[in-house]
Amino acid sequence: MDRLLLLVCVAVTSLAGYWVGRRALGLGRASLASVLGSVLECLGASVILLVANVLLGTLAALSVRTLTSHFIGLYLFSDAILLPLSLLQGLAFWSWRERAKETKS
């Protein structure tokens, strides 16, 4: 029941966002397939950056451990804040890429 409530809330806010976009902002209709494709591109960039962040952090921590007497735990790079930061990185990269496509056209 809890998950159903969560899905209903997400569906209502999605419909509200669509309504605001169409009515208040005057956005045109876009095909669902192209919108979902863009979302998946953005998420893909975010996942790639998340993996890169974890790998780089792990290599950095292991390097510090090896080269100095300091101990840095690998758990630092499993912090929950890394996911939203990587999502922001992915969104920024995807947005930059989309804007570059527009200027080439």
Side-chain angles (χ1 to χ4, degrees):
M1 184 66 166
D2 295 343
R3 291 184 186 181
L4 180 61
L5 180 61
L6 177 68
L7 291 175
V8 168
C9 289
V10 169
V12 168
T13 56
S14 295
L15 290 172
Y18 178 78
W19 184 83
V20 167
R22 292 282 293 150
R23 301 285 182 210
L25 301 176
L27 299 176
R29 284 194 163 163
S31 75
L32 185 58
S34 68
V35 170
L36 289 177
S38 295
V39 168
L40 290 176
E41 285 178 9
C42 184
L43 285 175
S46 298
V47 168
I48 290 170
L49 286 162
L50 174 64
V51 170
N53 287 332
V54 170
L55 286 176
L56 180 63
T58 301
L59 287 173
L62 292 176
S63 297
V64 169
R65 283 184 188 181
T66 303
L67 300 174
T68 68
S69 61
H70 288 50
F71 178 81
I72 297 179
L74 296 179
Y75 60 86
L76 177 66
F77 302 101
S78 67
D79 194 344
I81 194 65
L82 194 56
L83 182 60
L85 290 175
S86 297
L87 286 171
L88 283 173
Q89 282 181 307
L91 178 60
F93 181 80
W94 176 81
S95 179
W96 176 34
R97 188 171 156 252
E98 288 298 309
R99 290 177 190 267
K101 283 183 190 177
E102 290 173 3
T103 57
K104 284 183 181 178
S105 299

Coordinates of all heavy atoms in Angstrom, one line a residue:
M1 N 0.8 -1.2 0.0 CA 0.0 0.0 0.0 C 0.9 1.3 0.0 O 0.5 2.2 -0.7 CB -0.9 0.0 1.2 CG -1.9 1.1 1.3 SD -3.0 1.0 -0.1 CE -4.2 2.1 0.4
D2 N 2.0 1.2 0.7 CA 2.9 2.4 0.8 C 3.5 2.7 -0.6 O 3.5 3.9 -1.0 CB 4.0 2.1 1.8 CG 3.5 2.0 3.2 OD1 2.4 2.4 3.5 OD2 4.3 1.5 4.0
R3 N 3.8 1.7 -1.3 CA 4.4 1.9 -2.6 C 3.4 2.4 -3.6 O 3.7 3.2 -4.5 CB 5.0 0.6 -3.1 CG 6.2 0.2 -2.4 CD 6.9 -1.0 -2.9 NE 8.0 -1.4 -2.0 CZ 8.8 -2.4 -2.2 NH1 8.6 -3.2 -3.3 NH2 9.8 -2.7 -1.4
L4 N 2.2 1.9 -3.5 CA 1.1 2.4 -4.3 C 0.9 3.9 -4.1 O 0.7 4.7 -5.0 CB -0.2 1.7 -4.1 CG -1.4 2.1 -4.9 CD1 -1.1 1.9 -6.4 CD2 -2.6 1.3 -4.5
L5 N 0.9 4.3 -2.8 CA 0.7 5.8 -2.5 C 1.9 6.6 -3.1 O 1.7 7.6 -3.6 CB 0.7 6.0 -1.0 CG 0.5 7.4 -0.5 CD1 -0.8 8.0 -1.0 CD2 0.6 7.5 1.0
L6 N 3.1 6.0 -3.0 CA 4.3 6.7 -3.6 C 4.1 6.9 -5.1 O 4.3 8.0 -5.6 CB 5.5 5.9 -3.3 CG 6.8 6.5 -3.9 CD1 7.2 7.8 -3.3 CD2 7.9 5.5 -3.8
L7 N 3.7 5.8 -5.8 CA 3.5 5.9 -7.2 C 2.3 6.8 -7.6 O 2.5 7.6 -8.6 CB 3.2 4.5 -7.8 CG 4.3 3.5 -7.7 CD1 3.9 2.1 -8.2 CD2 5.5 4.0 -8.6
V8 N 1.3 6.9 -6.8 CA 0.2 7.8 -7.1 C 0.7 9.3 -6.9 O 0.4 10.1 -7.8 CB -1.0 7.5 -6.1 CG1 -2.0 8.7 -6.2 CG2 -1.7 6.2 -6.5
C9 N 1.5 9.5 -5.9 CA 2.0 10.9 -5.7 C 2.9 11.3 -6.9 O 2.8 12.4 -7.4 CB 2.8 11.0 -4.4 SG 1.7 10.9 -2.9
V10 N 3.8 10.4 -7.3 CA 4.6 10.7 -8.5 C 3.8 10.9 -9.7 O 4.1 11.8 -10.5 CB 5.7 9.5 -8.7 CG1 6.4 9.7 -10.0 CG2 6.7 9.5 -7.5
A11 N 2.8 10.1 -9.9 CA 1.9 10.3 -11.1 C 1.2 11.6 -11.1 O 1.1 12.3 -12.1 CB 0.9 9.1 -11.2
V12 N 0.7 12.0 -9.9 CA 0.0 13.3 -9.8 C 0.9 14.4 -10.1 O 0.6 15.4 -10.8 CB -0.7 13.4 -8.4 CG1 -1.2 14.8 -8.2 CG2 -1.8 12.4 -8.3
T13 N 2.2 14.4 -9.5 CA 3.1 15.5 -9.7 C 3.6 15.5 -11.2 O 3.8 16.6 -11.7 CB 4.3 15.5 -8.8 OG1 4.9 14.2 -8.9 CG2 3.9 15.7 -7.3
S14 N 3.7 14.4 -11.8 CA 4.0 14.3 -13.2 C 3.0 14.9 -14.1 O 3.3 15.7 -15.0 CB 4.3 12.9 -13.7 OG 5.4 12.3 -13.0
L15 N 1.7 14.6 -13.8 CA 0.6 15.2 -14.5 C 0.5 16.7 -14.3 O 0.3 17.5 -15.2 CB -0.7 14.5 -14.2 CG -0.9 13.1 -14.7 CD1 -2.1 12.5 -14.1 CD2 -0.9 13.1 -16.2
A16 N 0.8 17.1 -13.0 CA 0.7 18.6 -12.7 C 1.9 19.3 -13.5 O 1.7 20.4 -14.0 CB 0.9 18.8 -11.2
G17 N 3.0 18.7 -13.5 CA 4.1 19.2 -14.3 C 3.8 19.4 -15.8 O 4.1 20.4 -16.4
Y18 N 3.2 18.4 -16.3 CA 2.8 18.4 -17.7 C 1.8 19.5 -17.9 O 1.9 20.3 -18.9 CB 2.2 17.1 -18.1 CG 1.7 17.1 -19.6 CD1 2.6 16.9 -20.6 CD2 0.3 17.2 -19.8 CE1 2.1 16.9 -21.9 CE2 -0.1 17.2 -21.2 CZ 0.8 17.1 -22.2 OH 0.3 17.1 -23.5
W19 N 0.8 19.7 -17.0 CA -0.2 20.7 -17.1 C 0.4 22.1 -17.1 O 0.1 23.0 -17.9 CB -1.3 20.5 -16.1 CG -2.4 21.5 -16.2 CD1 -3.5 21.4 -17.0 CD2 -2.5 22.7 -15.5 NE1 -4.3 22.5 -16.9 CE2 -3.7 23.3 -16.0 CE3 -1.7 23.4 -14.6 CZ2 -4.1 24.6 -15.5 CZ3 -2.2 24.6 -14.1 CH2 -3.4 25.2 -14.6
V20 N 1.3 22.3 -16.1 CA 2.0 23.6 -15.9 C 2.8 23.9 -17.2 O 2.8 25.0 -17.7 CB 2.8 23.6 -14.7 CG1 3.8 24.8 -14.7 CG2 2.0 23.6 -13.4
G21 N 3.5 22.9 -17.7 CA 4.3 23.1 -18.9 C 3.5 23.5 -20.1 O 3.9 24.4 -20.9
R22 N 2.4 22.8 -20.3 CA 1.5 23.1 -21.4 C 0.8 24.4 -21.3 O 0.7 25.2 -22.2 CB 0.5 22.0 -21.6 CG 1.1 20.7 -22.1 CD 1.4 20.6 -23.5 NE 0.2 20.6 -24.3 CZ 0.2 21.1 -25.5 NH1 1.3 21.6 -26.1 NH2 -0.9 21.1 -26.2
R23 N 0.2 24.6 -20.1 CA -0.7 25.8 -19.9 C 0.1 27.1 -19.6 O 0.0 28.1 -20.2 CB -1.7 25.6 -18.9 CG -2.6 24.4 -19.1 CD -3.6 24.7 -20.2 NE -4.5 23.6 -20.4 CZ -5.1 23.3 -21.5 NH1 -4.9 24.0 -22.5 NH2 -5.8 22.2 -21.6
A24 N 0.9 27.0 -18.5 CA 1.5 28.2 -18.0 C 2.8 28.6 -18.8 O 3.1 29.7 -19.0 CB 1.9 28.0 -16.5
L25 N 3.5 27.6 -19.2 CA 4.8 27.9 -19.9 C 4.7 27.8 -21.4 O 5.6 28.2 -22.1 CB 5.9 26.9 -19.4 CG 6.2 26.9 -17.9 CD1 7.2 25.8 -17.5 CD2 6.6 28.3 -17.5
G26 N 3.6 27.3 -21.9 CA 3.4 27.2 -23.3 C 4.3 26.2 -24.1 O 4.6 26.5 -25.2
L27 N 4.7 25.2 -23.4 CA 5.6 24.2 -24.0 C 4.7 23.4 -25.0 O 3.6 23.0 -24.7 CB 6.2 23.3 -23.0 CG 7.1 24.0 -22.0 CD1 7.6 23.0 -20.9 CD2 8.3 24.7 -22.6
G28 N 5.3 23.0 -26.1 CA 4.6 22.2 -27.1 C 4.6 20.7 -26.7 O 5.3 20.3 -25.8
R29 N 3.8 20.0 -27.5 CA 3.8 18.6 -27.2 C 5.0 17.9 -27.8 O 5.5 18.2 -28.9 CB 2.6 18.0 -27.9 CG 1.3 18.2 -27.2 CD 0.2 17.3 -27.7 NE -0.8 17.3 -26.7 CZ -2.0 16.9 -27.0 NH1 -2.3 16.5 -28.2 NH2 -3.0 16.9 -26.1
A30 N 5.6 17.0 -27.1 CA 6.7 16.3 -27.5 C 6.4 14.8 -27.5 O 5.6 14.4 -26.6 CB 8.0 16.5 -26.7
S31 N 6.9 14.0 -28.3 CA 6.6 12.6 -28.3 C 7.2 12.0 -27.0 O 8.3 12.3 -26.6 CB 7.1 11.8 -29.5 OG 8.5 11.7 -29.4
L32 N 6.4 11.1 -26.4 CA 6.8 10.4 -25.2 C 8.1 9.7 -25.4 O 9.0 9.7 -24.5 CB 5.7 9.4 -24.7 CG 6.0 8.8 -23.4 CD1 6.1 9.8 -22.3 CD2 4.8 7.8 -23.1
A33 N 8.3 9.1 -26.6 CA 9.6 8.3 -26.8 C 10.8 9.2 -26.8 O 11.8 8.9 -26.3 CB 9.5 7.6 -28.2
S34 N 10.7 10.4 -27.4 CA 11.8 11.3 -27.4 C 12.1 11.9 -26.0 O 13.3 12.1 -25.7 CB 11.6 12.5 -28.4 OG 10.6 13.3 -28.0
V35 N 11.1 12.1 -25.3 CA 11.3 12.6 -23.9 C 11.9 11.5 -23.0 O 12.9 11.8 -22.3 CB 9.9 13.1 -23.3 CG1 10.1 13.4 -21.8 CG2 9.4 14.3 -24.0
L36 N 11.4 10.3 -23.1 CA 12.0 9.2 -22.4 C 13.5 8.9 -22.8 O 14.3 8.6 -22.0 CB 11.2 8.0 -22.5 CG 9.9 8.0 -21.7 CD1 9.1 6.7 -22.0 CD2 10.1 8.2 -20.3
G37 N 13.7 9.1 -24.1 CA 15.1 8.9 -24.6 C 16.0 10.0 -24.0 O 17.2 9.6 -23.6
S38 N 15.6 11.2 -23.9 CA 16.4 12.2 -23.3 C 16.6 12.0 -21.8 O 17.7 12.2 -21.3 CB 15.7 13.6 -23.4 OG 15.7 14.0 -24.8
V39 N 15.6 11.5 -21.1 CA 15.7 11.2 -19.7 C 16.8 10.0 -19.5 O 17.6 10.1 -18.6 CB 14.4 10.7 -19.1 CG1 14.5 10.1 -17.7 CG2 13.4 11.9 -19.0
L40 N 16.7 9.0 -20.4 CA 17.6 7.9 -20.3 C 19.1 8.4 -20.6 O 20.0 7.9 -20.0 CB 17.2 6.8 -21.2 CG 16.0 6.0 -20.7 CD1 15.6 5.0 -21.7 CD2 16.1 5.4 -19.3
E41 N 19.2 9.3 -21.5 CA 20.6 9.8 -21.8 C 21.1 10.5 -20.6 O 22.3 10.4 -20.2 CB 20.5 10.8 -23.0 CG 20.3 10.2 -24.3 CD 20.3 11.2 -25.4 OE1 20.5 12.4 -25.2 OE2 20.0 10.8 -26.6
C42 N 20.3 11.3 -20.0 CA 20.7 12.1 -18.8 C 21.1 11.1 -17.6 O 22.1 11.3 -17.0 CB 19.6 13.0 -18.3 SG 20.1 14.1 -17.0
L43 N 20.2 10.1 -17.4 CA 20.5 9.1 -16.4 C 21.8 8.3 -16.7 O 22.5 8.0 -15.8 CB 19.3 8.2 -16.2 CG 18.1 8.8 -15.4 CD1 17.0 7.8 -15.4 CD2 18.5 9.2 -14.0
G44 N 22.0 8.0 -17.9 CA 23.2 7.3 -18.3 C 24.4 8.1 -18.1 O 25.4 7.5 -17.5
A45 N 24.4 9.4 -18.4 CA 25.5 10.2 -18.1 C 25.8 10.3 -16.6 O 26.9 10.2 -16.1 CB 25.3 11.6 -18.6
S46 N 24.7 10.3 -15.8 CA 24.8 10.3 -14.3 C 25.4 9.1 -13.8 O 26.3 9.1 -12.9 CB 23.4 10.6 -13.7 OG 22.9 11.8 -14.1
V47 N 25.0 7.9 -14.3 CA 25.5 6.6 -13.9 C 27.0 6.5 -14.2 O 27.8 6.1 -13.4 CB 24.7 5.5 -14.5 CG1 25.4 4.1 -14.2 CG2 23.3 5.4 -13.9
I48 N 27.4 7.0 -15.4 CA 28.8 6.9 -15.8 C 29.6 7.8 -14.8 O 30.7 7.4 -14.4 CB 29.0 7.3 -17.3 CG1 28.4 6.3 -18.2 CG2 30.4 7.6 -17.6 CD1 28.3 6.7 -19.6
L49 N 29.1 9.0 -14.5 CA 29.8 9.9 -13.6 C 29.9 9.3 -12.2 O 30.9 9.5 -11.5 CB 29.2 11.3 -13.7 CG 29.6 12.0 -15.0 CD1 28.7 13.2 -15.2 CD2 31.0 12.5 -14.9
L50 N 28.8 8.7 -11.8 CA 28.8 8.0 -10.4 C 29.9 7.0 -10.3 O 30.7 6.9 -9.4 CB 27.5 7.4 -10.1 CG 27.3 6.6 -8.8 CD1 27.6 7.5 -7.6 CD2 26.0 5.9 -8.7
V51 N 30.0 6.1 -11.3 CA 31.0 5.1 -11.4 C 32.4 5.7 -11.4 O 33.3 5.3 -10.7 CB 30.8 4.1 -12.6 CG1 32.0 3.2 -12.8 CG2 29.5 3.3 -12.4
A52 N 32.6 6.8 -12.2 CA 33.9 7.4 -12.3 C 34.2 8.1 -10.9 O 35.4 8.0 -10.5 CB 33.8 8.5 -13.4
N53 N 33.3 8.7 -10.3 CA 33.5 9.3 -8.9 C 34.0 8.2 -7.9 O 34.9 8.4 -7.2 CB 32.3 10.0 -8.4 CG 32.0 11.3 -9.2 OD1 32.9 11.9 -9.7 ND2 30.8 11.7 -9.2
V54 N 33.3 7.1 -7.9 CA 33.6 6.0 -7.0 C 35.0 5.4 -7.3 O 35.8 5.2 -6.4 CB 32.5 4.9 -7.0 CG1 33.0 3.7 -6.2 CG2 31.2 5.4 -6.4
L55 N 35.3 5.2 -8.6 CA 36.6 4.7 -9.0 C 37.7 5.6 -8.6 O 38.7 5.2 -8.1 CB 36.6 4.3 -10.4 CG 35.8 3.1 -10.8 CD1 35.8 2.9 -12.4 CD2 36.4 1.8 -10.2
L56 N 37.5 6.9 -9.0 CA 38.6 7.9 -8.7 C 38.8 8.0 -7.2 O 39.9 8.1 -6.7 CB 38.2 9.2 -9.3 CG 39.2 10.3 -9.1 CD1 40.5 10.0 -9.7 CD2 38.7 11.7 -9.6
G57 N 37.7 8.1 -6.4 CA 37.8 8.1 -5.0 C 38.5 7.0 -4.4 O 39.3 7.1 -3.5
T58 N 38.2 5.8 -4.9 CA 38.8 4.6 -4.4 C 40.3 4.6 -4.7 O 41.2 4.3 -3.8 CB 38.2 3.3 -5.0 OG1 36.8 3.3 -4.7 CG2 38.8 2.0 -4.5
L59 N 40.7 5.0 -5.9 CA 42.1 5.0 -6.3 C 42.8 6.1 -5.5 O 44.0 5.9 -5.1 CB 42.2 5.4 -7.8 CG 41.9 4.2 -8.8 CD1 41.9 4.7 -10.2 CD2 42.9 3.1 -8.6
A60 N 42.2 7.2 -5.2 CA 42.8 8.3 -4.4 C 43.0 7.8 -3.0 O 44.1 8.0 -2.4 CB 41.9 9.5 -4.5
A61 N 42.0 7.2 -2.4 CA 42.1 6.7 -1.0 C 43.2 5.6 -0.9 O 44.1 5.6 0.0 CB 40.8 6.1 -0.6
L62 N 43.3 4.7 -1.9 CA 44.3 3.7 -1.9 C 45.7 4.3 -2.1 O 46.7 3.8 -1.5 CB 44.0 2.6 -2.9 CG 42.8 1.7 -2.6 CD1 42.5 0.8 -3.8 CD2 42.9 1.0 -1.3
S63 N 45.8 5.3 -2.9 CA 47.1 6.0 -3.1 C 47.5 6.7 -1.9 O 48.7 6.6 -1.5 CB 47.0 7.0 -4.3 OG 46.7 6.4 -5.5
V64 N 46.6 7.4 -1.2 CA 47.0 8.0 0.1 C 47.4 7.0 1.1 O 48.4 7.2 1.8 CB 45.8 8.9 0.6 CG1 46.1 9.4 2.0 CG2 45.6 10.1 -0.3
R65 N 46.7 5.9 1.2 CA 47.1 4.8 2.1 C 48.5 4.3 1.8 O 49.3 4.0 2.7 CB 46.2 3.6 2.0 CG 44.8 3.8 2.7 CD 44.1 2.5 2.5 NE 42.7 2.6 3.0 CZ 41.9 1.6 3.0 NH1 42.3 0.4 2.5 NH2 40.7 1.7 3.4
T66 N 48.8 4.1 0.5 CA 50.1 3.5 0.1 C 51.3 4.5 0.3 O 52.3 4.1 0.7 CB 50.0 3.1 -1.4 OG1 48.9 2.2 -1.5 CG2 51.3 2.4 -1.8
L67 N 51.0 5.8 -0.1 CA 52.1 6.7 -0.1 C 52.4 7.5 1.2 O 53.4 8.1 1.3 CB 51.9 7.7 -1.3 CG 51.8 7.1 -2.7 CD1 51.3 8.2 -3.7 CD2 53.1 6.5 -3.1
T68 N 51.4 7.4 2.1 CA 51.5 8.1 3.4 C 51.2 7.2 4.5 O 50.8 6.0 4.3 CB 50.6 9.4 3.4 OG1 49.3 9.0 3.5 CG2 50.9 10.3 2.2
S69 N 51.2 7.7 5.7 CA 50.9 6.9 6.9 C 49.4 7.2 7.3 O 48.9 6.6 8.3 CB 51.8 7.2 8.0 OG 51.7 8.6 8.4
H70 N 48.7 7.9 6.5 CA 47.3 8.3 6.8 C 46.4 7.1 6.3 O 46.6 6.5 5.3 CB 46.9 9.6 6.1 CG 47.5 10.8 6.7 ND1 48.8 10.9 7.0 CD2 46.9 11.9 7.1 CE1 49.1 12.1 7.5 NE2 48.0 12.7 7.6
F71 N 45.3 6.9 7.0 CA 44.3 5.9 6.6 C 43.0 6.7 6.2 O 42.5 7.5 7.0 CB 44.0 5.0 7.8 CG 42.9 4.0 7.4 CD1 43.2 2.9 6.7 CD2 41.6 4.2 7.8 CE1 42.3 1.9 6.3 CE2 40.6 3.3 7.4 CZ 41.0 2.2 6.7
I72 N 42.6 6.4 5.0 CA 41.3 6.9 4.5 C 40.5 5.7 4.2 O 40.9 4.9 3.3 CB 41.5 7.8 3.3 CG1 42.3 9.1 3.6 CG2 40.2 8.2 2.7 CD1 42.6 10.0 2.5
G73 N 39.3 5.7 4.8 CA 38.4 4.5 4.6 C 37.7 4.6 3.2 O 37.4 5.7 2.8
L74 N 37.5 3.5 2.6 CA 36.8 3.5 1.3 C 35.3 3.8 1.5 O 34.6 4.1 0.6 CB 37.0 2.1 0.7 CG 38.4 1.8 0.3 CD1 38.5 0.4 -0.4 CD2 38.9 2.8 -0.7
Y75 N 34.8 3.6 2.7 CA 33.4 3.9 3.0 C 33.0 5.3 2.7 O 31.9 5.7 2.5 CB 33.0 3.5 4.4 CG 33.8 4.3 5.5 CD1 33.4 5.5 5.9 CD2 34.9 3.8 6.0 CE1 34.1 6.3 6.8 CE2 35.7 4.5 7.0 CZ 35.2 5.7 7.4 OH 36.0 6.4 8.3
L76 N 34.0 6.2 2.7 CA 33.8 7.6 2.4 C 33.1 7.8 1.0 O 32.3 8.7 0.8 CB 35.1 8.4 2.4 CG 35.1 9.8 2.0 CD1 34.4 10.6 3.1 CD2 36.5 10.4 1.9
F77 N 33.4 6.9 0.1 CA 32.9 7.0 -1.3 C 31.6 6.2 -1.5 O 31.1 6.1 -2.6 CB 34.0 6.6 -2.3 CG 35.2 7.5 -2.1 CD1 36.3 7.0 -1.5 CD2 35.1 8.8 -2.6 CE1 37.4 7.8 -1.3 CE2 36.2 9.6 -2.4 CZ 37.4 9.1 -1.7
S78 N 31.0 5.7 -0.4 CA 29.7 5.1 -0.4 C 28.7 6.0 0.3 O 27.6 5.6 0.5 CB 29.7 3.7 0.2 OG 30.0 3.8 1.6
D79 N 29.1 7.2 0.5 CA 28.2 8.2 1.2 C 27.0 8.5 0.3 O 27.1 8.5 -1.0 CB 28.9 9.5 1.4 CG 28.2 10.4 2.4 OD1 27.0 10.2 2.6 OD2 28.9 11.3 2.9
A80 N 25.8 8.7 0.9 CA 24.6 8.9 0.1 C 24.6 10.2 -0.7 O 23.9 10.3 -1.7 CB 23.4 8.9 1.1
I81 N 25.4 11.1 -0.3 CA 25.4 12.4 -1.0 C 26.1 12.3 -2.4 O 25.8 13.1 -3.3 CB 26.1 13.5 -0.2 CG1 25.9 14.9 -0.7 CG2 27.6 13.2 -0.1 CD1 24.5 15.3 -0.6
L82 N 26.8 11.2 -2.6 CA 27.5 11.0 -3.9 C 26.5 10.8 -5.0 O 26.7 11.2 -6.1 CB 28.5 9.8 -3.8 CG 29.5 9.7 -5.0 CD1 30.3 11.0 -5.1 CD2 30.4 8.5 -4.7
L83 N 25.4 10.1 -4.7 CA 24.4 9.9 -5.8 C 23.7 11.2 -6.3 O 23.7 11.4 -7.5 CB 23.3 8.9 -5.3 CG 22.2 8.6 -6.3 CD1 22.8 7.9 -7.5 CD2 21.2 7.7 -5.6
P84 N 23.2 12.1 -5.4 CA 22.6 13.3 -6.0 C 23.7 14.2 -6.6 O 23.4 14.9 -7.6 CB 22.0 14.0 -4.8 CG 22.3 13.3 -3.6 CD 22.9 11.9 -4.0
L85 N 24.9 14.2 -6.1 CA 25.9 15.0 -6.7 C 26.3 14.5 -8.1 O 26.5 15.3 -9.1 CB 27.2 15.0 -5.9 CG 27.1 15.8 -4.6 CD1 28.4 15.7 -3.7 CD2 26.8 17.3 -4.8
S86 N 26.3 13.2 -8.3 CA 26.5 12.6 -9.6 C 25.4 12.8 -10.5 O 25.6 13.0 -11.7 CB 26.8 11.1 -9.4 OG 27.9 10.8 -8.7
L87 N 24.2 12.8 -10.0 CA 23.0 13.2 -10.8 C 23.1 14.6 -11.3 O 22.8 14.9 -12.5 CB 21.7 13.0 -10.0 CG 21.3 11.5 -9.8 CD1 20.1 11.4 -8.9 CD2 20.9 10.9 -11.2
L88 N 23.5 15.5 -10.5 CA 23.7 16.9 -10.9 C 24.8 17.0 -11.9 O 24.7 17.8 -12.9 CB 24.1 17.8 -9.7 CG 22.9 18.2 -8.8 CD1 23.4 18.9 -7.6 CD2 21.9 19.0 -9.5
Q89 N 25.9 16.3 -11.8 CA 26.9 16.3 -12.8 C 26.4 15.8 -14.1 O 26.7 16.3 -15.2 CB 28.1 15.3 -12.3 CG 29.0 15.9 -11.3 CD 30.1 14.9 -11.0 OE1 29.8 13.8 -10.7 NE2 31.4 15.3 -11.1
G90 N 25.7 14.7 -14.1 CA 25.1 14.1 -15.3 C 24.1 15.1 -16.0 O 24.1 15.2 -17.2
L91 N 23.3 15.7 -15.2 CA 22.3 16.7 -15.7 C 23.1 17.9 -16.4 O 22.7 18.3 -17.5 CB 21.4 17.2 -14.6 CG 20.4 18.3 -15.0 CD1 19.5 17.7 -16.1 CD2 19.6 18.7 -13.8
A92 N 24.1 18.3 -15.7 CA 24.9 19.4 -16.3 C 25.6 19.0 -17.6 O 25.6 19.8 -18.6 CB 25.9 19.9 -15.3
F93 N 26.2 17.8 -17.6 CA 26.9 17.4 -18.8 C 25.9 17.2 -19.9 O 26.1 17.6 -21.1 CB 27.6 16.0 -18.5 CG 28.3 15.5 -19.7 CD1 29.6 16.0 -20.1 CD2 27.8 14.5 -20.5 CE1 30.2 15.5 -21.2 CE2 28.4 14.0 -21.6 CZ 29.7 14.5 -21.9
W94 N 24.7 16.5 -19.6 CA 23.7 16.3 -20.6 C 23.2 17.6 -21.2 O 23.0 17.8 -22.4 CB 22.6 15.5 -20.1 CG 21.4 15.3 -21.0 CD1 21.4 14.4 -22.0 CD2 20.2 16.0 -21.1 NE1 20.2 14.5 -22.7 CE2 19.5 15.5 -22.1 CE3 19.7 17.1 -20.4 CZ2 18.3 16.1 -22.5 CZ3 18.5 17.6 -20.7 CH2 17.8 17.1 -21.8
S95 N 22.9 18.6 -20.3 CA 22.4 19.9 -20.7 C 23.5 20.6 -21.6 O 23.1 21.2 -22.7 CB 22.1 20.7 -19.5 OG 21.6 22.0 -19.9
W96 N 24.7 20.5 -21.2 CA 25.8 21.1 -22.0 C 25.8 20.5 -23.4 O 25.9 21.2 -24.4 CB 27.1 20.9 -21.3 CG 28.3 21.4 -22.0 CD1 28.5 22.5 -22.8 CD2 29.6 20.8 -21.9 NE1 29.8 22.6 -23.2 CE2 30.5 21.6 -22.7 CE3 30.1 19.7 -21.2 CZ2 31.8 21.3 -22.8 CZ3 31.5 19.4 -21.3 CH2 32.3 20.2 -22.1
R97 N 25.7 19.2 -23.5 CA 25.7 18.4 -24.7 C 24.5 18.8 -25.6 O 24.7 19.0 -26.8 CB 25.7 16.9 -24.5 CG 25.9 16.1 -25.6 CD 26.1 14.6 -25.2 NE 25.8 13.8 -26.3 CZ 24.7 13.0 -26.4 NH1 23.9 13.0 -25.4 NH2 24.5 12.3 -27.5
E98 N 23.4 18.9 -25.0 CA 22.2 19.3 -25.8 C 22.3 20.7 -26.3 O 21.9 21.0 -27.5 CB 20.9 19.2 -24.9 CG 20.5 17.8 -24.6 CD 20.2 17.0 -25.9 OE1 19.3 17.5 -26.7 OE2 20.7 15.9 -26.1
R99 N 22.8 21.6 -25.5 CA 23.0 23.0 -26.0 C 24.0 23.1 -27.1 O 23.9 23.9 -28.1 CB 23.4 24.0 -24.9 CG 22.2 24.2 -23.9 CD 22.6 25.0 -22.7 NE 21.6 25.0 -21.7 CZ 20.6 25.9 -21.6 NH1 20.5 26.9 -22.5 NH2 19.7 25.8 -20.7
A100 N 25.1 22.3 -27.0 CA 26.1 22.3 -28.1 C 25.5 21.7 -29.4 O 25.8 22.2 -30.5 CB 27.3 21.4 -27.7
K101 N 24.5 20.8 -29.3 CA 23.8 20.3 -30.5 C 23.0 21.4 -31.2 O 23.0 21.5 -32.4 CB 22.9 19.1 -30.1 CG 23.6 17.8 -29.9 CD 22.5 16.8 -29.6 CE 23.0 15.5 -29.1 NZ 21.9 14.5 -28.8
E102 N 22.4 22.2 -30.3 CA 21.5 23.3 -30.8 C 22.3 24.3 -31.5 O 21.9 24.9 -32.6 CB 20.7 23.9 -29.7 CG 19.6 23.0 -29.1 CD 19.0 23.6 -27.9 OE1 19.3 24.8 -27.5 OE2 18.2 22.9 -27.2
T103 N 23.5 24.6 -31.0 CA 24.3 25.7 -31.7 C 24.9 25.2 -33.0 O 25.2 26.0 -33.8 CB 25.4 26.2 -30.7 OG1 26.2 25.1 -30.3 CG2 24.8 26.9 -29.5
K104 N 25.1 23.9 -33.1 CA 25.7 23.3 -34.4 C 24.6 23.4 -35.5 O 25.0 23.5 -36.6 CB 26.1 21.9 -34.2 CG 27.4 21.7 -33.4 CD 27.8 20.3 -33.3 CE 29.0 20.1 -32.6 NZ 29.4 18.7 -32.5
S105 N 23.4 23.3 -35.1 CA 22.3 23.3 -36.1 C 22.1 24.6 -36.8 O 22.3 25.6 -36.3 CB 21.0 22.8 -35.5 OG 21.2 21.5 -35.0

